[in-house]
Every structure is written in C-alpha cells, then in structure tokens.
Amino acid sequence: EDGYRLWLRYDKIENAALRSSYSNQLQYIKVYGQSPTLAAAQKELVMGLSGLTGNTPRESATTEQASLLLFTRFTQPAQLTGITTDYAALGQDGFCITTARIKEKKVTIITANTDIGVLYGTFHLLRLLQTQQPIQAVQVVSVPAIQHRILNHWDNLNRTIERGYAGFSIWNWHTLPDYIDQRYIDYARANASIGINGTVLTNVNANALVLTHDYLLKVKALADAFRPYGLKVYLTAKFSAPVEIGGLKTADPLDTSVQHWWQHKADEIYELIPDFGGFLVKANSEGQPGPQTYNRTHADGANMLADAVGTHGGIIMWRAFVYDVRVQKHDEDFDSNKTNKNLPDIAAADRFKQAYAEFTKLDGQFRKNVLVQVKNGPIDFQPREPFSPLFGAMPQTPLAMEFQLTMEYLGQGTHLVYQAPLFKEVLDADTYATGKGATIAKVIDGSLYHHSLSAIAGVSNIGSERNWTNHPFGQATWYAYGKLAWNPNANARDIAREWVQQTFTHQPQAVQTITDMMMASREAVVNYMTPLGLHHIMGASGHWGPGPWVNNAGRADWNSVYYHRADSFGLGFNRTATGSNALAQYKPEVQAQWKDSNTCDERYLLWFHHVSWQHHMHSGKTLWDELCTRYQQGVDTVRRMQASWNSLQTVIDPERFHQVQQLLSIQEKEARWWRNSCLLYFQTYSRMPLPAGVEPPDHTLDYYKSIRSLFVPGAGSN
Ligand code: BDP
C-alpha cells in the first residue's frame, strides 16, 4: 500500500450485501456517444465497480438491458424523452445523477451538457460507492461555482521544484514528447475526480525556454494526454521571452514588434494545442522582468498577452504578488539591532500594502480575458494571515484566488497539516465590499460583481515521490482543494471524512479519529509556529524551521525582525493609523474587527498591533503568558495526534502506518524546536519567566541559533 492510488483505491467493499446491491444496480453500462472522455468514464466505471464490488460490469448492447446510462444532452436516446433534465442549470461542467424508471425497470443515469460533465458525474457516483452511501434513489445535481479550477506547478525545466517537498517534477521533459508515463494519465484522472480542470506546468519564476518550439511539442504531448480528462494546459510566460528567445531588443508591451512576437507565439501554441488555457505571469516581483521594466503598467503587460491569446479563447492570470523597490531602498538604513530607529520609514512602506496600492488603481483597465491572481493573504502563505485586502477592492476585475498546497511555511514535507480549514477561513471571510455577506468565495466565483470569468489556483504539492505528495496526508490537501474549488461552501470536516474513507479505512471509530487529527492540525501549526498573529519568522531563504532572530537577509522585508518587531515594550507590527495603517485598506466593518488591540480578534492581534508584554488578553493572561501557552498547546496537539495515530495500528496498513508515525515524530520534534527557539528569543525582550505548564527548553538560545539547515529542498529565489 504505497499511496500511489491516492483516493481512487477501489478496494473491495467488505459488506457483501452492500456489494451485491451496488453491483445489481449498476451491472449493465451503456454509454451514448463516443469520445476519449466518455471512453475514460467507461473505463473508470469498469475499474471502479470491478474493484469495489468484485463483479465486472458489462457493456449493455441495448437501452432496454442497461441499468447505468451515461449520456449528454446531445446524445440522450430517443426512447428516454420522458427523462427531463434541467440542462440549462448544469452549465459546462455540471452533472446530474438520477434514478428513473424505464418501462418499470429502475435505472441510474448520469447526464450533463458535455462529456466532461459526464466524467465528473462518473467520479461522483464512484465516490458514493467508495464512501458506502445508499444509491437506490440517488438524485444529485452538482455544478461547480468556479469556472477555472487550476493547479499551479512551480516546476522548473531541470525538474527541480521551487518550494517542492515531494521529490522532483513529474514532468520528465527529457523523455517527452515520445514517452507518455502512466503517471501523467493517473495525474489527470486524479484531478478530474475532484473537478480540477487546468494545470500550469511551469514555475512562476519562469524560463523562456518552455516557449521554444521543441518544448512546445513536449507541452503538446502532455496536453494530449490530459485532454480526455478535461485538464487544460497553461504555461508561465516570462516577460522577457521576446528578448531571450525571440532576438528582439526589447520586451516593451507597447512596442509593436513585441506585440507581434507574442501574437505569433500564441498562434504557434494554439496550432499545436487548440485548447491551450493561457498564461500565468509573475511580473516585476522578486527579480522577474515585467512591464514596469519599460515604465509600463501591469495592465499594459497583461493586456498585450491577453490580446495574443484572446483571439484563441485563452486567458491571462496576472499575479498580484508584487512588492517593489520602495521597501528595498530602506535596506541600507535597516539595522535590526536598532529595530526602532527606522521604523517610521519602513512602516510607511509596509510590504503588506503594496499589492493593493499597485493594483487597485488599475481596476477597469484590464482586458476581459484577464484575471488578477491574488494570494490569500497580504504577505505570503503564512500559517494564518488576514485575507488580502485586494479581495472585494477591484470590482471591475475578476480576481482569482491563489492558495499554496505545498507547505512552504507549514513545516514542508514532514508535517501533517490539513489545509482545508485554512482555505475555508479565507473563502468564508467577509470583505464587506458590498455590505454584509460579501464573502471572498463570492468575490472569486464572480457572483459578487457579476463576472462570468472566474478562477482559483492551488500551488501544487505534487512531485515524483511514489505517493505523489511525500506526506500521505498531503494528498488530503490536494483533494480538499479540488472539492472546495468546485464548491467553496463545502465543509472541511466532511471533505476530510470522505477522503479518509477513500484513502484509509471505513471503520467508523478510526474515521472519526483521523478526521479529528486532521481538523486539529492547522491550529496546531499556527500555535507552534506563529501564534496570535506572528508571521514570517521562519529561517531565511529556505523558510524551514524557526528564525525569529533573522536580521541580515538581503531586503528589510525578508527579515523576521521586520515582521515581529519585538522590543522591550512588547511585540507585533502596528498596522493601525499610528503605524503603517495597512488596516485602512479594508472596509470599515473589517477595520472595526481589528483596529482596537483590546477587542481585536486575537488570531490577528500581532498582525495589526504592537502590544505590551503585559497586554491583557481575553483569557485574563498577559500577552507573554498567553504566547507561551499557545506555543505549548501547539506541541501538545501534535502529541495528541501521535497518540491518536498510534491507536490505529491495527486498522491502518503497516506501510502507511509507519510512514505517518515517523513523520509525526519529526513533527513533534520540530514543534518543540519552534516553541523553544521562539520562547527563548522573545524572552530576551519580555524578560519574563515561562508560566507554569510550559516545558522549559532543553538548550540555550545560542544553540538554537546555531542550528543550520543542511538541506532544505525546493529553495526558491528568496
Ligand atoms: C514565495 C516563495 C517564492 C515564490 C514566490 C512567489 O518563497 O519561492 O517564487 O512566493 O509566489 O512564497 O512568486
């Protein structure tokens, strides 16, 4: 049991009565229409039903004999005119599963407007069986809320992965285009099973080479392999490509030779890949070139590319993850040993504010096929961030959400952190952009401002490891991302439960135990890394392990001390009107939740306030005592997760049991490392003792500071 099969294991159901009821009901399959997608649906059904029931279903020659019928609006057989489906409500990707009677015989029907809708319905039906639901009277209508549900691979052409912790890239550029690894097909199947319909193959820190003809042939081979599963291919576009591979002197978006170059490049791509999705672009951020290099705006850059792909139906996802040189210019003055000296200057610049400052002024200037892709928080995928103030602040521009499935700041490949609660916290957050109830889910599904174009992106956690994600529970985050992209209103616990049933066991107590572990895991990582609104205090560059003392990284805002601002008075970043005033980027109702340090939701306290060590917390404790307690709670939760997992030895297969057991013990060790390092470091400012119940660190601060990470995979550009 090596984890390769993900949640599509289709192992035989133990309950014999259930098995035979499923197999009786679904014994004769008839698929109306012919296409690679419908063939994939049929193949999946045969594989799934044979595995789950032990009985291979048959292909039915006639409608009369069939008990499971798959058709689209266009292939619905004439005999079945009595079966009415509200096709208009299903859109492109939605599906309907019903039970009906044809001449007194009960049948199950999967129908949709498109073949891909039928495939999604097929996976849904199989999931009902995998989770052992009753299907005698099944009635499901399911339509995705978001149009483009995409994975972003930060994969380099040399197969390393930026911030990747599951081995190397699954794209083997060397053997493409001639060799199609079964893994590509299984990747597409897995994505289709949870409704993901797009994949950006390459890193946002882009390499122009992928746009050369030879690489495009390799991209085409992947696109062809994915197409039956409805998975569109996208690429990252390096803004300087016209210079790097096109021989032009400039990449200025207003230069006609540059515009033509991109137009021809797009034509070449669409010639090979008619359903190519479009480009994802990181521009003028962390050293990437962009339109500002030529004194043009993000809108100028995005629009030029939008015009190139627009004639072919493509889209541009232009990232808002930018922070410009205004912070950098403070570097020379920035002296962390005298943190307060330059605070007013640095605070005025506050990286938190930059994406909003640069992008809101461009609202209304983007072409119709451009989405601005915004990370969930204003800084960078921290264990907990307030939502980015851009959401709701650009009414005329469709905004795409960017979540990070790979765990750059969450313990990387060895920590069990189920991220659905994090995603939900963001999706459910109320921006108040149009009054109460203007949730982020409504911003990105397009309903708030009536955009028909909508997208969501998850930075992939997938690699060449046999089990795809290295940590077996990394699969759960991939799974949950797909489910929430389809339905942002779904419940994180329900998703966890169904994932556990498909992935590990049906034993009710064990399902409960594992689900509880997963649901506790996100708060645990917040507590043992960055409680109460601390953020970005990890080791520099690799972002692995604690580094609250980091004060010598290349830019002011790459340093932990820039973010936590510990001093003898207290802790936290004042982002209220007396500080950087980043808070002003939110609507008044949101500001009201956070602006007063006495009433601020304590999950965000140190994001917005510099408060005294003696600050009176809601628990009645001082800030210092509360901070210590939270770090301890983080460690305690991991220990409870260990105990829970250990209780499952007889239920889980030995291979995955031991794998997770070992990983949890690394997590416990690292949680202690975080707690000890942070408390010792912050204690040099608070000068207060550890409260009762908090375990004393077993080494000195100097020892923790001296720990150097020998190897951190996936190191990135900062
Ligand atoms: C940060 C990563 C860096 C990425 C960057 C981005 O540390 O490796 O390139 O984000 O999203 O999280 O562009």
Side-chain angles (χ1 to χ4, degrees), residues 638-654:
V638 177
R639 289 178 181 157
R640 272 199 298 280
M641 286 159 62
Q642 285 183 291
S644 298
W645 188 255
N646 288 339
S647 75
L648 301 171
Q649 179 146 25
T650 54
V651 186
I652 308 293
D653 53 280

Side-chain angles (χ1 to χ4, degrees), residues 4 6-8 10 36-37 40 44 47 116 119-120 123 149 151 153 170-171 180-199 201 221-233 462 468 478:
Y4 181 83
L6 296 160
W7 47 88
L8 300 172
Y10 303 140
T37 299
E44 198 71 28
M47 176 161 63
I116 188 65
L119 180 66
Y120 290 147
F123 278 113
R149 306 169 296 277
L151 282 180
H153 286 260
I170 57 175
W171 322 132
I180 299 300
D181 195 326
Q182 178 61 33
R183 207 175 171 93
Y184 303 149
I185 319 270
D186 290 329
Y187 165 85
R189 278 178 60 228
N191 281 316
S193 78
I194 49 176
I196 291 175
N197 65 356
T199 179
L201 300 176
L222 288 174
D224 290 344
F226 299 161
R227 189 167 295 110
Y229 292 91
L231 192 66
K232 271 191 189 176
V233 157
I462 298 159
W468 304 85
W478 175 11

Side-chain angles (χ1 to χ4, degrees), residues 2 56 60 62 99 113 131 139 179 191 269 271 286 343 349 380 468 494 506 531 620 697 701:
D2 60 14
T56 309
S60 161
T62 62
T99 31
N113 283 312
T131 51
Q139 296 290 349
Y179 185 81
N191 281 316
I269 296 174
E271 180 75 33
E286 298 183 335
L343 266 187
D380 198 9
W468 304 85
D494 293 345
H506 286 91
L701 178 58

Side-chain angles (χ1 to χ4, degrees), residues 154 162-163 205 282 286 319 321 375 380 408 718:
W154 285 359
E162 178 138 351
R163 314 303 180 183
N205 296 319
K282 171 176 180 177
E286 298 183 335
R319 295 178 84 228
F321 179 69
K375 288 187 181 182
D380 198 9
E408 176 178 356
N718 60 13

Side-chain angles (χ1 to χ4, degrees), residues 384-635:
R384 170 167 281 127
E385 296 198 40
F387 64 84
S388 164
L390 269 174
F391 292 112
M394 294 183 66
Q396 298 181 66
T397 314
L399 298 187
M401 168 64 71
E402 181 174 311
F403 285 128
Q404 190 182 48
L405 317 189
T406 190
M407 305 228 297
E408 176 178 356
Y409 295 98
L410 301 175
Q412 306 188 348
T414 52
H415 293 211
L416 191 169
V417 182
Y418 171 57
Q419 287 199 58
L422 186 164
F423 303 156
K424 279 298 284 181
E425 189 171 288
V426 177
L427 293 167
D428 292 347
D430 197 340
T431 66
Y432 285 90
T434 54
K436 195 169 167 42
T439 61
I440 292 194
K442 289 186 190 163
V443 174
I444 60 164
D445 73 12
S447 60
L448 193 69
Y449 292 121
H450 314 292
H451 293 297
S452 53
L453 181 60
S454 59
I456 183 166
V459 179
S460 151
N461 59 352
I462 298 159
S464 59
E465 290 284 338
R466 179 72 189 154
N467 73 357
W468 304 85
T469 54
N470 188 24
H471 200 304
F473 280 79
Q475 298 177 0
T477 291
W478 175 11
Y479 181 86
Y481 165 69
K483 298 289 284 192
L484 288 170
W486 185 280
N487 176 13
N489 293 322
N491 173 295
R493 179 175 281 277
D494 293 345
I495 296 173
R497 195 180 299 114
E498 69 179 39
W499 176 80
V500 171
Q501 289 176 328
Q502 293 168 86
T503 307
F504 282 116
T505 176
H506 286 91
Q507 211 258 324
Q509 184 52 48
V511 171
Q512 183 67 32
T513 303
I514 303 173
T515 307
D516 287 346
M517 282 171 64
M518 291 167 73
M519 292 305 290
S521 63
R522 189 290 182 108
E523 212 55 43
V525 75
V526 170
N527 281 335
Y528 66 71
M529 286 189 182
T530 51
L532 303 175
L534 285 170
H535 51 283
H536 216 301
I537 57 168
M538 34 291 292
S541 159
H543 299 160
W544 180 67
W549 46 77
V550 171
N551 62 9
N552 58 1
R555 297 170 49 123
D557 57 354
W558 288 350
N559 288 281
S560 302
V561 295
Y562 172 88
Y563 293 102
H564 64 64
R565 314 249 157 160
D567 58 18
S568 56
F569 171 80
L571 185 62
F573 196 140
N574 180 359
R575 293 190 165 102
T576 67
T578 57
S580 80
N581 208 17
L583 202 50
Q585 295 183 335
Y586 292 96
K587 292 283 181 250
E589 293 88 338
V590 180
Q591 290 182 35
Q593 294 165 20
W594 294 332
K595 74 176 177 207
D596 178 341
S597 62
N598 292 313
T599 54
C600 179
D601 179 339
E602 287 179 351
R603 295 178 303 172
Y604 303 103
L605 183 64
L606 304 175
W607 270 100
F608 294 108
H609 299 277
H610 186 71
V611 289
S612 121
W613 296 110
Q614 312 288 346
H615 178 82
H616 192 76
M617 301 293 288
H618 299 159
S619 62
K621 295 189 179 115
T622 62
L623 168 68
W624 170 249
D625 282 2
E626 183 72 32
L627 188 75
C628 296
T629 309
R630 294 299 179 102
Y631 271 108
Q632 182 64 45
Q633 278 171 359
V635 175

